[in-house]
Structure formats: structure tokens, C-alpha cells
Amino acid sequence: MAATGTLTIPQKSKMDAVLVLRIAIIASLLVFWQLLSMSGLLYEDVVPGLPQITAGLYRLLTTTEFYVNLKVTAGEILAASLIGGLTGMIAGLSLGGSYFMERAFERYFYYLGPTPKIIFFPLMIMWFGVGSGSKVAMGAVSCFFPVALAVAAGMRRIPPILIRVGESFRANRWQMLTKVHLPAMREPVVNGFRLGFGVALIGVLLAETKLSNQGLGFLVIQNYQRFDMPGMYALLIAIFVIAVAVNAALGRLSRGGRRR
Amino acid sequence: MNDMIRPEQIAQPPVTAPEPMLVIDHVTKRFETPDGPVVAVDNISLTVGRGEFVSIIGPSGCGKSTLFNLVGGLLSISDGTIRIDGEAINGPHKSIGMVFQEDATFPWRTVIDNVAFPLELQGMAKGERLERARHFVSLVGLHGFEKRYPAELSGGMRQRVSIARTLAAEPKLLLMDEPFAALDEQTRLLLGDKVLQIQQELNQTVLLITHNITEAVQLSDRVLIMTYRPGRTKRIALIELPRPRTSEMLSSDTFGRYVAEVWADLREEASRGMQDAERGSR
Ligand SMILES: Nc1ncnc2c1ncn2[C@@H]1O[C@H](COP(=O)(O)OP(=O)(O)O)[C@@H](O)[C@H]1O
Ligand SMILES: [Mg+2]
């Protein structure tokens, strides 16, 4: 215990230094932005000053329009992550659990994984309509591949001895899955889900900017077409903050529970 | 497990000779490798009676772990049969508990949850299984470490967690593959005493794989000495030392004689194994 105590102190002061550096970087970026805006090198409409952006942020967060569209987008991302994550997990488990499946299919996952899914968007619109359906489909397809590949890789990295222990205690299939396989690959799986969530978010927002009448992606494009730059920047900041917050929460989930 | 008496059992005449706990009947295991088949276990037969403690000793690489996995039902048999309680096995038998040679603790479970694992599989209620797990954690000398994770323990402590986990299931047939190899000498002796004590209490049948002669003689009723490549039976030595046995009898003359006797047989095989290893490394 004493050893951990002496270990945490330097770590904590290092954390403080990191925090100071981060704040310094953000502050200097803001200053640079304001200077750029005032310099007149670029149109002030394209690079609005900090006061205009702050005003835009205030406007954004006080209108119901933002929350209505946020809810639509959040719902789409959630549905996409659930569908893509679940199917990806099932695909990953069967790829990782069977040498035959791996030989037969895995290479296609590696080919399709990095392909930009937006090229499938016209198809999605034809299949699922211009509403939320096509956005969810885009997100789900994006989410599917990283989750499947992470689960398959995680499954193969399980030490075989732990599987033999489960077998020797006569665990049934369900017990093997829930008490040996999944906990043993928790970290790669959660990281896969994080990645999957990230690309689901990209997929949904991208689809919304292409063709839609609701959602945050639609709002961004609407602001752009109205040439409301402060409103657009405010929206970008809001989306960025939300994405960072969700990612941090997921990161906590992957580390939490187990001490190393 | 099933204590109910069925009608057909009443009608049957009483069984005269009880079926031995474990019968290894002319068992051979071949591994198919790219360089052709490797015979790891060659035509081994052994019968272990109920409550008996039998050790299998042999040089490294002679096929001990292979035999252990065959009896545990984790490997398929190439030729011959293995019967437990009269049933030919195909897969892990319900009467068996295995302690593996490798570190086999679940890193995501605390010590107590590792030990409670088999009880959890059986569906035992939480309070009951934790109480029972706590008992077995203390038994292997890990009291106070219940809430620790395996990563926080030494290799020897982790091996004790594995032993406690298997003992907690109270198997009728205990199989152990070099369970004490990672332990220091003192812990090894004390834990050997503990295992013997539990064996007596539960009238367990034990098959112990080891490469430690002292350990084999100290604990066993019989010691099967294996040859090096292919793994065959060289001899089965009968150890007629009085029970209960403790590590205190290690210094007696009879004990020394048994050790010397086993070593005489093992020596030849061990030196063959060593020559093989040298040839391989060149
Ligand atoms: N899965 C396997 N495939 C091929 N050969 C194996 C396999 N497992 C064990 N062997 C071989 O069988 C022999 C006996 O191995 P093992 O049973 O682990 O020996 P021991 O436990 O006595 O040290 C060794 O020569 C080893 O190389
Ligand atoms: Mg071995």
C-alpha cells in the first residue's frame, strides 16, 4: 500500500502538468483564432470572432431546434451502434471461433472494412428511404466491420488454458461464452465497440449532410446554406464536445472494473 | 449425485468387486504433425482404485501432460479406452477435477471469485459458494488475499488459487499436473500434507503427475515410472509406507530406499531425455 502511495504522488503532479499544457494549447488556439479573425486576412464572415461564435453558441443552445435534431441524431447513432455492434459481435464470434469461417470470410472483412461506406448511401436510400432508416443503415454498416474484426481478434488471443479450465469444469456453451470468452476478451471488445461507435457517428452525420430533413448533420448543412457561420461553428463545437464526452465515457468503461 | 434408488437397481444382485475409480486401458495418443505422427503416449495401462493415490513420474517431454489431458477428457484418445466409474469417457467426466501445469487463474476474477468459479457453474447460491470458497482459500494458506487479483500475486500463490479452485468442486477423482512445480520447497511440502489430508477426508482418488521423486514417494501408494519417448510404462513401484503420511517422514531410512529405487529406474530415462535435448539444441 505504501508503495502505491509513493507511486501516485508523482503521477498526480504529472497529471497537473498535462492539464496546464492542455489549457495553454486551447487558450493559444483561441487567441490565434481571434487574431486571425481581426487581421482581415480572411473574410470575417468565414472566420467569425470569438464573441460572434459565443453568441452563436448561446443562440443554438437556447433554441428547441437544436435539441429536437440532437435527439433524432442520437437516436440514429444509438440504433446504428446497437444493430452494427450486435451483428458485428455475432460475426466476430463466429470468425474467431471457427478456423473454417476465418479461412472462408475474414479476408473480405479486411477488404470491406476500410472501404468508405458512403458509396453505399444511394443504395441505402433506395432500400430504407430518405428518413432515419437510411442513416441508421449507414451507421450500422460502418459500425459492423471494426466490431467484427476486434471481436474475432480478441477471441483468438484468449489463452487456450483458460478455455481448458472452463471445459474441465464442464461449463456449458452459454457459461463458456459469458464466464470465459467474453470476460477474457473484454478489453479488445470494448475497444472495438468504441471504434464502432465512432464510425457509426461519422456514418450517420455524413449521411445526414448528404440527404435529409432532420438531424445535426442536416443542421450543419442548413447553416452553411444560410451562410450562418457563427451558427455553424457553434454546431461543430457542440458536436465535437458531445463526441469527446461519449468517447471518454466509453474509455472509462473499457478500463473500469479490473485493476491491473 | 443421484442417490435415488431405481427399481432395476433393487432387482440386481449386489456387486461383488467394486469397479475401480479409473481404468486406463491400453491407451495410445498420436499427434499428427507436419513431420509425421508423433506418439506421445504409447500403450499405457493403469488401474487406480477408489481412494488410492497414484503418481506418474517421468522426464520432461515423456508424455505426462498428454496422459493427464487424455484422462481429463480434453484430448481425444487414438487407441484404447479410459473408464471412470465404469463409464468410458468421451469428454470431461463429472467426477474429475483438474489442476493444470500452466498458470490457469482467471485474471479478471479476484482470488475468492476464482475459487468460487466451479460452484458458480453448478448454480450454487452466492452466499453458500462464497463461504465454501473462503474455506478453500484459507486451506491453501491465502487467507487475507480473497479480494486480490491474480496479477497481484506471485506465481506460487496463483498456483495455490488454482488448487483451491479445483478442490472447492470436491471432485471424486483429482488429477494434478505438476501442481507444486512453481512453489518453493517449504510451501510444496506443507501443501502436499494439506492435499493428503483432504484426500483422506473426502476419500478422494488422486492421480498426480510430477517430475519430483521425493514428492511422488511422499504422497503415493503407487508410482508409475514412464519411459522417455515414446511414453510407455517402465515400472509401477509400490510405496508401502504407513499412513497417515506427513512431510516429517522424509528423513526415514525406508523413505530414502524408495527414493533411491525410483531414481534408479528414472535415471536412465532422464539421461535419454537430456541427450535428446542436447541434440535438439545443437
Ligand atoms: N498438440 C501437440 N502436437 C504435437 N505434439 C505434441 C502436442 N502436445 C504434446 N506433443 C508432444 O508430445 C510429447 C509429450 O509432451 P507432454 O505430454 O507435454 O510431455 P510432459 O508433460 O511429460 O513434459 C512431446 O514430445 C511433445 O512435443
Ligand atoms: Mg507437462
Side-chain angles (χ1 to χ4, degrees):
Chain A
M1 279 299 107
T4 25
T6 51
L7 267 177
T8 41
I9 292 165
Q11 261 179 0
K12 208 162 201 170
S13 62
K14 206 183 273 172
M15 281 297 287
D16 288 343
V18 168
L19 196 67
V20 168
L21 187 67
R22 276 182 190 159
I23 291 171
I25 288 175
I26 292 171
S28 48
L29 276 177
L30 292 178
V31 170
F32 172 76
W33 182 273
Q34 184 61 26
L35 290 176
L36 187 68
S37 160
M38 293 190 304
S39 70
L41 287 174
L42 292 161
Y43 287 117
E44 207 189 340
D45 288 336
V46 177
V47 186
L50 293 182
Q52 287 102 301
I53 293 180
T54 312
L57 207 53
Y58 178 77
R59 236 187 312 126
L60 182 73
L61 297 180
T62 49
T63 53
T64 52
E65 192 191 25
F66 172 70
Y67 296 100
V68 169
N69 286 294
L70 174 64
K71 214 167 124 191
V72 169
T73 301
E76 286 167 356
I77 292 171
L78 204 69
S81 304
L82 278 179
I83 295 168
L86 221 61
T87 50
M89 180 136 157
I90 292 166
L93 285 175
S94 38
L95 280 182
S98 140
Y99 184 60
F100 174 76
M101 294 291 279
E102 175 190 344
R103 286 267 306 263
F105 297 113
E106 189 144 336
R107 64 168 69 188
Y108 301 110
F109 282 66
Y110 280 103
Y111 296 155
L112 280 172
T115 308
K117 307 300 172 311
I118 195 70
I119 60 170
F120 299 121
F121 189 50
L123 280 179
M124 303 290 174
I125 291 176
M126 286 196 286
W127 291 349
F128 303 106
V130 289
S132 280
S134 55
K135 318 301 179 293
V136 171
M138 271 297 299
V141 169
S142 309
C143 179
F144 174 81
F145 290 96
V147 171
L149 289 175
V151 170
M155 186 122 171
R156 279 185 213 113
R157 276 209 303 271
I158 300 176
I161 179 69
L162 299 184
I163 293 170
R164 286 201 292 150
V165 170
E167 285 172 353
S168 82
F169 286 121
R170 296 158 54 87
N172 60 35
R173 278 181 148 238
W174 177 248
Q175 288 171 330
M176 276 310 271
L177 182 68
T178 55
K179 293 185 194 294
V180 181
H181 286 119
L182 291 182
M185 48 196 240
R186 177 193 159 120
E187 246 161 286
V189 167
V190 174
N191 282 333
F193 272 105
R194 254 175 98 177
L195 211 67
F197 177 82
V199 293
L201 189 142
I202 294 171
V204 165
L205 284 173
L206 205 56
E208 280 180 352
T209 61
K210 292 292 164 207
L211 182 65
S212 67
N213 49 19
Q214 52 180 357
L216 293 182
F218 166 72
L219 271 194
V220 172
I221 291 302
Q222 204 185 34
N223 277 307
Y224 168 75
Q225 281 165 350
R226 281 202 226 118
F227 216 68
D228 179 2
M229 284 301 140
M232 198 180 85
Y233 283 115
L235 203 52
L236 293 184
I237 290 169
I239 293 172
F240 179 72
V241 168
I242 291 169
V244 166
V246 172
N247 224 332
L250 287 175
R252 196 168 268 259
L253 199 72
S254 76
R255 269 175 279 112
R258 149 144 63 133
R259 283 190 292 169
R260 315 228 67 220
Chain B
M1 292 284 116
N2 192 352
D3 291 327
M4 286 206 294
I5 298 170
R6 282 168 284 137
E8 67 268 24
Q9 282 180 325
I10 300 169
Q12 276 172 359
V15 187
T16 41
E19 176 74 26
M21 186 74 213
L22 169 68
V23 178
I24 300 172
D25 190 4
H26 298 281
V27 166
T28 294
K29 177 65 188 180
R30 273 181 303 272
F31 287 109
E32 300 302 330
T33 68
D35 312 329
V38 171
V39 179
V41 170
D42 190 14
N43 199 20
I44 284 197
S45 293
L46 172 71
T47 299
V48 183
R50 239 162 265 278
E52 204 182 0
F53 197 125
V54 175
S55 291
I56 295 179
I57 196 165
S60 204
C62 75
K64 302 185 296 296
S65 293
T66 305
L67 187 60
F68 165 82
N69 284 311
L70 288 171
V71 176
L74 298 178
L75 267 182
S76 63
I77 305 166
S78 305
D79 278 311
T81 46
I82 293 174
R83 287 192 300 279
I84 293 170
D85 261 338
E87 287 172 48
I89 61 162
N90 77 68
H93 192 275
K94 62 178 184 301
S95 302
I96 271 191
M98 299 174 84
V99 177
F100 294 88
Q101 187 175 4
E102 306 95 317
D103 177 9
T105 51
F106 296 120
W108 60 87
R109 282 176 176 250
T110 58
V111 167
I112 190 89
D113 287 340
N114 258 288
V115 175
F117 178 77
L119 311 175
E120 200 177 309
L121 294 188
Q122 291 164 15
M124 190 184 279
K126 188 165 184 186
E128 195 185 344
R129 71 172 184 249
L130 287 184
E131 192 182 325
R132 182 132 142 210
R134 213 166 282 127
H135 168 75
F136 282 95
V137 169
S138 305
L139 201 83
V140 297
L142 288 177
H143 180 68
F145 291 90
E146 286 86 352
K147 293 279 155 62
R148 298 299 189 87
Y149 285 85
E152 302 172 288
L153 307 179
S154 72
M157 288 160 97
R158 283 204 286 271
Q159 189 59 11
R160 276 141 75 189
V161 173
S162 293
I163 295 172
R165 180 177 61 191
T166 301
L167 289 177
E170 301 196 340
K172 280 194 263 170
L173 175 56
L174 179 62
L175 290 179
M176 297 190 282
D177 190 4
E178 307 196 15
F180 309 130
L183 306 176
D184 60 81
E185 185 72 6
Q186 299 89 300
T187 317
R188 197 174 65 71
L189 291 173
L190 291 176
L191 212 56
D193 286 350
K194 283 270 171 56
V195 167
L196 272 185
Q197 188 192 322
I198 295 169
Q199 187 229 353
Q200 299 294 314
E201 278 167 21
L202 298 177
N203 191 31
Q204 256 172 347
T205 309
V206 183
L207 187 65
L208 171 76
I209 313 277
T210 181
H211 59 226
N212 184 317
I213 304 171
T214 318
E215 189 176 290
V217 173
Q218 180 205 342
L219 301 171
S220 318
D221 298 309
R222 287 187 292 151
V223 177
L224 186 153
I225 301 149
M226 271 178 90
T227 61
Y228 179 75
R229 279 202 195 178
R232 295 201 179 108
T233 308
K234 173 137 187 164
R235 189 167 76 90
I236 298 182
L238 201 61
I239 313 292
E240 288 174 305
L241 290 168
R243 291 204 184 261
R245 297 194 194 158
T246 60
S247 43
E248 283 156 28
M249 62 189 350
L250 257 56
S251 51
S252 77
D253 284 348
T254 351
F255 191 92
R257 254 201 316 281
Y258 278 121
V259 170
E261 199 183 295
V262 172
W263 172 232
D265 277 316
L266 196 57
R267 183 182 181 138
E268 203 182 318
E269 301 308 319
S271 56
R272 274 178 55 209
M274 223 163 91
Q275 281 163 10
D276 218 30
E278 278 170 11
R279 215 173 300 131
S281 64
R282 234 176 265 155

